[in-house]
Structure formats: C-alpha cells, structure tokens
C-alpha cells in the first residue's frame, strides 16, 4: 500500500509471507513500513522495517524478528556521490547460550563514488556485519569448540566504466576479514580468517514501464 502525502515524501506499507520467504512455512504473516524523503535533486533519505515470525510449524518457541534499516543517498555537485546505510535487527529466543533470550545483529555499509571523467568513476566501499548469535548468518564452531555467529568487515576499491547510460563494467578488489577465531577461508593448506578478491563484472538494465510512472 503506497501513500504520497507530498511530492517529496513516500510511505509504503507491506504485508509479507516472511523474511526472504516466498512460500509460507507457517500460518503467520509479516508486516513492514517504508518511508523515503527526497532531498531535492541531490538524493534521498529513508527508513524501512520488518516485523514477523518465520518459526516453522511445530516450533514451540516464537522467533519474532524486528529489523530496521536506515539509508542516505546524496550527490555533491556532479562528481561525488555517497551512499550510507545501516541495519539493526532483534529476534526473540535466538541467543546461542540459552536459546531463550533476544539476540541482536547489526551492520552498516558506506560507499563513496567519484566521477573522474565522462563514463569513468572510482569508488570505495566499507562494510561491517556483526551477528554474534548467528540467527541471521550461521553459527561457526572454532577449533576450541567455541560457537559464535559471523562477524565481518570488508573494504572494496573499484573502477567503473559506463559505455552507455544503462550499462556498466566494473573492476574491483576486496578484502574480507572475519573475527580472529573464525577461520572460514582455506588457502594453500591453511585456514584463514581473511580473503582477498579481484572481480570483473558487468551489467545492463532497462526501464520496462513507460509513461509517467517510469519518469517518477
């Protein structure tokens, strides 16, 4: 359900099967709210949330999840753009120690992009994800039999070329670092808590809706 009280403010209400669930696994429904405010022609700021319980039928405990996301997209002049977003999530009966307490996870991401010349841009991105009880990621057991959820930091540096307005080619390098005891990556016979990546990717996108809706 969409409501636009002003030309700059958009409000959305959602009724959902669940959190990234396309097929119902119980008889419950989830709800969400989204608010976006336009900052003139320079960007927008917004908030979204999700409230629901995806516990499968037969589970004696509820696992109600309340996820919150806030974001800002802003362009300074014609050359520099920033994107910043953060998530804070709570879930009932999900802690590792007892399975009866509310667990919390959070993450954030920040990207800065600079237009070097027509078609060429350079960007840097930093991200953090911390899920100590593993209810959103997974539970990892280290060599000392300690259990914990994923805790990650990442840094990415990239170069983008746009040969056309609706397409891009990107070359980027990334470093991913897990917590000290989370040796998820294996290289040359060693278990490591970090990894380096070099990637080339490309994409193209199209506007399939014509008329006033597409322009909006």
């Amino acid at each position: 359900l969409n409501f636009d009280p002003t030309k700059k403010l958009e409000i959305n209400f959602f009724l959902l099967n669940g959190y990234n669930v396309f097929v119902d696994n119980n008889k419950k429904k989830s709800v969400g709210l989204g608010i976006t405010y336009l900052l003139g022609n320079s960007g927008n700021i917004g908030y979204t949330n999700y409230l629901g319980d995806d516990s499968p039928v037969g589970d004696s405990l509820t696992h109600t999840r309340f996820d919150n996301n806030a974001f800002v997209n802003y362009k300074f002049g014609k050359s520099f753009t920033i994107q910043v977003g953060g998530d804070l999530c709570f879930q009932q009966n999900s802690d590792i120690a007892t399975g009866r307490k509310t667990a919390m996870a959070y993450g954030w991401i920040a990207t800065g992009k600079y237009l070097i010349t027509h078609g060429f841009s350079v960007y840097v991105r930093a991200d953090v994800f911390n899920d100590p009880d593993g209810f959103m990621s997974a539970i990892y057991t280290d060599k000392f039999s300690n259990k914990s959820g994923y805790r990650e930091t990442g840094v990415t540096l990239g170069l983008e070329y746009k040969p056309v307005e609706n397409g891009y080619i990107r070359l980027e390098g990334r470093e991913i670092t897990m917590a000290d005891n989370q040796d998820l990556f294996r290289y040359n016979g060693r278990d490591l808590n970090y990894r380096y990546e070099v990637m080339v990717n490309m994409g193209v996108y199209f506007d399939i809706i014509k008329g006033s809706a597409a322009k909006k």
Side-chain angles (χ1 to χ4, degrees), residues 153-155 173-178 184-187 192-199:
T153 60
V155 178
R174 187 183 187 201
E175 178 187 7
I176 305 172
T177 305
M178 306 300 295
L184 298 182
F185 312 115
R186 189 165 182 82
Y187 181 72
L192 305 171
N193 72 321
Y194 61 90
R195 182 173 74 181
Y196 300 103
E197 302 174 340
V198 176
M199 294 168 285

Side-chain angles (χ1 to χ4, degrees), residues 44 61 77 87 100 137-138 148 169 179-181 197 212:
N44 57 37
L61 295 175
D87 287 86
R100 300 278 181 167
S137 54
S148 61
I169 302 172
D180 291 340
N181 63 329
E197 302 174 340
S212 60

Side-chain angles (χ1 to χ4, degrees), residues 161-180:
Y161 170 60
K162 299 190 68 173
V164 293
E165 182 63 28
N166 62 327
Y168 63 85
I169 302 172
R170 292 173 183 160
L171 170 66
E172 62 180 37
R174 187 183 187 201
E175 178 187 7
I176 305 172
T177 305
M178 306 300 295
D180 291 340

Side-chain angles (χ1 to χ4, degrees), residues 19-212:
Y19 191 92
N20 287 337
V21 173
F22 300 100
V23 178
D24 282 331
N25 62 346
N26 58 32
K27 294 183 179 181
K28 302 176 181 179
K29 293 298 179 184
S30 302
V31 295
L33 169 69
I35 302 173
T36 303
Y37 184 77
L38 293 179
L39 302 173
N41 295 322
S42 298
N44 57 37
I45 184 171
Y47 166 79
T48 62
N49 64 27
Y50 166 88
L51 179 65
D53 179 11
D54 291 331
S55 303
V57 174
D59 196 330
S60 60
L61 295 175
T62 61
H63 296 88
T64 301
R65 176 176 296 182
F66 184 42
D67 190 18
N68 302 268
N69 169 261
F71 59 89
V72 177
N73 303 297
Y74 198 81
K75 187 173 184 178
F76 297 88
K78 297 181 179 180
S79 300
F80 186 61
T81 304
I82 63 168
Q83 296 177 304
V84 180
D87 287 86
L88 180 63
C89 186
F90 303 91
Q91 184 165 293
Q92 289 180 313
N93 300 311
S94 298
D95 70 306
I96 289 179
T98 68
R100 300 278 181 167
K101 296 179 180 179
T102 298
M104 181 186 73
Y106 68 87
W108 60 261
I109 185 169
T111 301
K113 185 176 182 181
Y114 181 74
L115 179 64
I116 302 173
T117 184
H118 181 72
F120 284 94
S121 301
V122 62
Y123 58 91
V124 61
R125 180 172 66 246
D127 59 272
V128 169
F129 177 72
N130 193 318
D131 181 19
D133 290 290
F135 71 92
M136 293 196 73
S137 54
I139 296 177
Y140 177 80
T141 304
D142 65 18
K143 59 185 177 182
F144 303 109
S145 298
N146 297 315
K147 298 181 182 296
S148 61
Y150 286 7
R151 290 172 290 163
E152 173 268 347
T153 60
V155 178
T156 302
L157 179 64
L159 178 66
E160 178 185 83
Y161 170 60
K162 299 190 68 173
V164 293
E165 182 63 28
N166 62 327
Y168 63 85
I169 302 172
R170 292 173 183 160
L171 170 66
E172 62 180 37
R174 187 183 187 201
E175 178 187 7
I176 305 172
T177 305
M178 306 300 295
D180 291 340
N181 63 329
Q182 295 183 341
D183 299 325
L184 298 182
F185 312 115
R186 189 165 182 82
Y187 181 72
N188 281 346
R190 298 173 57 204
D191 293 325
L192 305 171
N193 72 321
Y194 61 90
R195 182 173 74 181
Y196 300 103
E197 302 174 340
V198 176
M199 294 168 285
V200 177
N201 56 78
M202 60 187 68
V204 62
Y205 49 91
F206 302 94
D207 288 330
I208 60 175
I209 300 176
K210 302 298 182 181
S212 60

